[in-house]
Amino acid sequence: MALRKVKTGIAGLDMMLQGGFPEGRMILVTGGPGTGKTIFCSQFLHHGATEQGEKTVYISLDETKPHFIEEMLGFGWDFRMLEQESKFTFVDASAIRRIPEKTKVGRLPVGGKELARARLIDSIFTTADGSGSTSIEKFIGDLGAQRVVLDSISGLLFRFPEAWEKRQAILDIYEALDATGATCLITSEALSIGEERQVQSEEYLSHGAILLQTLETGARAVRILKMRGTEVDSAPRPYRILGTGIEVHSDQSIFGT
Ligand SMILES: Nc1ncnc2c1ncn2[C@@H]1O[C@H](COP(=O)(O)OP(=O)(O)O)[C@@H](O)[C@H]1O
Ligand SMILES: [Mg+2]
């Protein structure tokens, strides 16, 4: 059965993806700081809300709501208006970074998957709505959101020093997001760039992964590292960040031909 495609809001990228992201999948957007991950994800949400009439959610671990709203207004994207139209919900999960290590999220006990998951996710939504009684699945399900962004997963994973703990936390978050049926973008800060780049668990475990890079020449390149269930253009292609958002030149190579 052919997967339905979800337009990304970036025309050149839709070309590379043969129509868009596979619906309901989890796509990792990885890259170094300043490569445009937050702008990329916001463009995806804005397109869904304004062009497709979809409901959207942005779960932020890095930015506060006023900062996000203001920054995106710079691209002509009025998320405050979308919020008033019930097409956009901002979840400020930045407080999770300030929760003392041992009390709230804590270290995961061996085999304590349920406990770990409940705590991690509760702590996001405790900070979001004050009740702590909901889950990601329920929260997003109640809203009926079709597009969800978690920016960034690195902001959560730093709490888990051991590789197996990180992997478990990623699995828990992915499982929760997968259950919502929404198409989800999850950002992560790339640790290393170039061919020696380490494949991290969050990339390995996702359905798809997109890499944003700033090359030594200063040029920017986007590459689809993987996209399960669909043919894609896996060559690196140039992109630019403009006052109107991200533009991908899918007909050009990064070598300037
Ligand atoms: N109006 C603009 N025109 C061109 N580039 C911009 C504009 N606004 C922001 N940028 C670029 O966007 C980048 C920041 O994007 P952002 O999505 O916050 O990155 P990330 O989330 O990957 O750290 C910066 O490198 C900045 O140069
Ligand atoms: Mg960012």
Side-chain angles (χ1 to χ4, degrees):
M1 194 181 78
L3 283 167
R4 271 190 52 190
K5 296 291 181 69
V6 173
K7 283 204 172 135
T8 64
I10 303 169
L13 187 67
D14 286 340
M15 293 287 288
M16 293 173 72
L17 290 163
Q18 299 202 351
F21 294 130
E23 186 177 40
R25 294 306 173 91
M26 262 165 308
I27 318 294
L28 188 78
V29 179
T30 186
T35 51
K37 298 181 297 296
T38 297
I39 298 169
F40 181 105
C41 292
S42 306
Q43 193 162 346
F44 165 76
L45 294 187
H46 187 264
H47 177 86
T50 59
E51 305 297 322
Q52 315 288 338
E54 294 173 348
K55 299 203 171 176
T56 64
V57 176
Y58 180 89
I59 305 167
S60 176
L61 278 110
D62 301 342
E63 296 197 52
T64 61
K65 184 171 168 181
H67 186 254
F68 173 84
I69 300 267
E70 166 146 2
E71 197 182 335
M72 295 313 149
L73 261 184
F75 296 97
W77 304 330
D78 190 345
F79 280 99
R80 194 174 298 286
M81 194 177 76
L82 293 174
E83 185 182 38
Q84 282 158 10
E85 294 170 352
S86 304
K87 287 187 184 153
F88 174 69
T89 303
F90 186 99
V91 178
D92 185 348
S94 60
I96 202 174
R97 307 177 71 119
R98 298 189 289 275
I99 297 168
E101 193 86 20
K102 293 244 153 69
T103 56
K104 212 56 201 269
V105 177
R107 298 283 298 270
L108 310 187
V110 177
K113 185 179 173 199
E114 281 310 314
L115 180 60
R117 172 173 167 184
R119 290 195 170 178
L120 186 68
I121 288 168
D122 280 355
S123 57
I124 289 183
F125 286 93
T126 303
T127 57
D129 71 2
S131 78
S133 59
T134 191
S135 65
I136 282 193
E137 295 96 313
K138 181 155 178 3
F139 185 85
I140 293 168
D142 287 352
L143 287 169
Q146 288 108 322
R147 297 188 186 216
V148 175
V149 166
L150 176 67
D151 186 18
S152 69
I153 199 169
S154 312
L156 286 175
L157 296 182
F158 82 101
R159 295 195 146 269
F160 304 100
E162 305 288 341
W164 70 267
E165 292 175 320
K166 280 194 173 56
R167 195 184 149 87
Q168 190 61 64
I170 293 165
L171 277 172
D172 290 342
I173 293 163
Y174 281 16
E175 197 177 282
L177 290 176
D178 205 17
T180 67
T183 308
C184 302
L185 299 189
I186 298 151
T187 70
S188 86
E189 294 290 334
L191 292 181
S192 54
I193 54 170
E195 288 310 309
E196 329 75 62
R197 205 176 58 83
Q198 286 183 348
V199 176
Q200 299 165 55
S201 300
E202 58 266 37
E203 176 179 332
Y204 177 66
L205 297 169
S206 61
H207 298 125
I210 292 191
L211 174 66
L212 301 178
Q213 278 178 295
T214 306
L215 308 177
E216 276 171 28
T217 58
R220 299 183 189 272
V222 56
R223 211 169 109 200
I224 300 169
L225 299 173
K226 73 167 183 185
M227 200 62 58
R228 276 187 211 146
T230 180
E231 289 283 314
V232 296
D233 171 9
S234 56
R237 300 292 178 188
Y239 73 94
R240 293 194 294 167
I241 303 177
L242 305 170
T244 49
I246 292 179
E247 200 175 87
V248 171
H249 300 275
S250 57
D251 55 341
Q252 295 174 19
S253 94
I254 54 164
F255 307 109
T257 52

